[in-house]
Amino acid sequence: MQDLLTIYLDRLHQGESETFQGPLDPSFLECKETELCFDAPVEIEGKAYIANDHLVISAHAKTTAKMPCIICNEMIFVPIEVTHFYHTKALEDCSSSTYHFAPALRDQILLELPRYVECEGGCKERDSVKRFIKNSSSEKEDTHFPFSGLEQLENLGD
Ligand SMILES: [Zn+2]
């Protein structure tokens, strides 16, 4: 099924376009890590054509990534969608009669990833983290106290 990511240039004629559609094995994304994992197939549909001396590939792709919640570290499903994948390649730079656009699509999919994710509807562990943040911010207030005291003195001077 990875064949969808290969464009056969010798079958493409000027002015004609070749359409492709289907699920792709997510292995081309090369992400099987603890912080980022793709298990679900990548649904893709698009077309390839030759315009002047360039190969043009335009497509729409979506899949689901798995990333850990920033708060509790639980793996959650994150829908990823590339609505306008548009890739061009000069024909003179294509060294063979096939062009494999997996690396370009991979880059685009990875760009769509959010920087961080949280459990849907708010992480249930958020409260315990909030308590921790609250404590550290009240310490911060203590360190600022001498300055607010100075301000009061200045006001008294006026
Ligand atoms: Zn969570």
Side-chain angles (χ1 to χ4, degrees), residues 69-74 76 117-119 122-126:
C69 166
I70 187 146
I71 293 170
C72 70
N73 233 27
E74 192 86 33
I76 44 184
V117 293
E118 187 182 328
C119 293
C123 183
K124 55 188 184 305
E125 298 287 321
R126 195 174 249 283

